[in-house]
Every structure is written in structure tokens, then in C-alpha cells.
Amino acid sequence: MTEDAELRSVAEEAMDAGVEWLALAGAEWRERKIKPSGEEVTDADVEVEDRVSRVLRRRTPQVPVIGEESAAGGPLPPTCWLLDPIDGTMNFTRGAPGYALSLAYVKDRQPALGVIDAPALGRRWVTAGTPGPATPPSGARELSRAVIGITGAGAGNPRHKAFIGRLYEEAYRIRMQGAMSMDLVGVAEGWLDACICIGPKPWDVAAGTALVRERGMAVLGPGGRKFAFGSPVLAAGREALARELMARWEAQS
């Protein structure tokens, strides 16, 4: 078994541990609490992170595990696992299906492998470790014909409101699903033509970034440069469309 195949096996085993526990968790685990940051969290977030992390540490003890609920801050190790135990917690607490467990293996500060599991949808996406398609991905090429996902806009930010209003006028449709990992899956699968993630944390987008890039599309940061962890915004899709989205965001200052 190659190293990549072994890492995928480890990642899927770890994700299974979280998904299987979550399927049996009672309603009391969904009770929402509010972090100091204002984000919602549940006991399920913490428990899933613990269960997934235990498998990763047992199978790959040399690789640090950085999870959303236990991250201490500071720079990321060049090689690590990045875990969002429940991306879209607000959906999860309300019984909506648009949430996912998101796990990525990062090598040399770039997402090299991604697993995203949406338990309520019964779907899992795993990078295959193969190059993207030789032909360009299908989908809209122009903003006026594109379905665009937006995540991370929150509420009450005048810049975000202005950007959404402008995009509402210029795009064919906009969608706000509430989970960055699922927006990136949407781009990879073609449900969305592109997406923009505002204020992405590394664990929010690492697995989805790996998946989108493997499908032959671009994941960009400010200035249309290749997205890197710590960037304040991310745009993904066909390269020209992702660049157009990023330019619209940067013009809205």
C-alpha cells in the first residue's frame, strides 16, 4: 500500500469513528452553546473531535492533530491533520442536513488529502490522490449565468451586506448553505459554479480545497493568488470565475 493510500485509510477509519458515534448520539448532544467568538458549539462537536483525533493519534502518532474545538492558536505545523468535527453546527443544532465532518491531511502547508462526510445526507467525498481532469470542468463561465455559494458572511457587517447585495444583482443565483466544506463540495460536484468563503479557518476549508483542486478547479485567495491558510477570504471554481469573484470582493472595500 502506498503512503497516500495508507493515509486515506487512516482518515476514513478516523471519520468512521466520528460518524458512527454521531448516528447514535441523543438529542441532548445537539444543545447549543455560544463560544466567546459568538459561534455556536455543542457537546457533539467536542465528542466527535475527540473520537476522530484518538484514531489519528493512534494510527499516525508522529502527525499533530489540529481540531477546531481544541486548537491553541499560533502557526500550523507544516505537516498535520486538520479537523472540523461538525462544520455547519448551526444547521446541526436545528436538525438541518447541511453539516459535515471535514478532515484533511496537510503536507508542506498544503492540503494533500481530504475527507468530507455529510451524515444526514449519507454521502462521503474522498480525494483519490490522482490529478484533476484533463478537460476543463463543466459549468457556467460567466457570473451572470453562475450559481454562487456564500459562507461566513454572518450578520450586521456592512461590507458583507453590500457584497451580497451586489452579487445578488450580478449572479444568476446565490446560495447560502452555512457550511464552507459543503460549499466546496458543491463546487467540486457542480452543484455550485463557484463559492466564496469569508473568514475561513484552516479546518473549515482544507479538505474541500483538496477536493476542488483535484477536480481541476482553482482555490484562490486575495489578489487572485493561490489560497493559503490565514487568508481572510477564499474563492473557488473555474479559475476565471474564481478570479472574478475575488475581484468583486476586493472592490467592495
Side-chain angles (χ1 to χ4, degrees), residues 149-218:
I150 306 174
T151 318
N157 186 304
R159 181 181 183 184
H160 297 175
K161 288 182 178 180
F163 176 72
I164 292 169
R166 182 177 178 186
L167 203 58
Y168 182 81
E169 294 176 352
E170 296 183 353
Y172 177 59
R173 293 288 189 275
I174 60 173
R175 296 287 182 263
M176 301 181 73
Q177 302 182 107
M180 292 185 184
S181 62
M182 292 303 293
D183 270 7
L184 288 161
V185 164
V187 172
E189 289 286 281
W191 311 334
L192 299 172
D193 295 302
C195 73
I196 188 158
C197 302
I198 301 168
K201 298 292 191 296
W203 42 80
D204 294 328
V205 297
T209 292
L211 186 67
V212 169
R213 287 175 175 166
E214 185 178 80
R215 300 289 177 92
M217 287 173 278

Side-chain angles (χ1 to χ4, degrees), residues 21-22 24-32 42-45 47 92:
W21 176 84
L22 195 58
L24 301 174
E28 67 275 12
W29 291 91
R30 293 176 181 260
E31 184 177 346
R32 59 178 177 151
T42 68
D43 289 340
D45 291 80
E47 184 68 19
F92 173 70

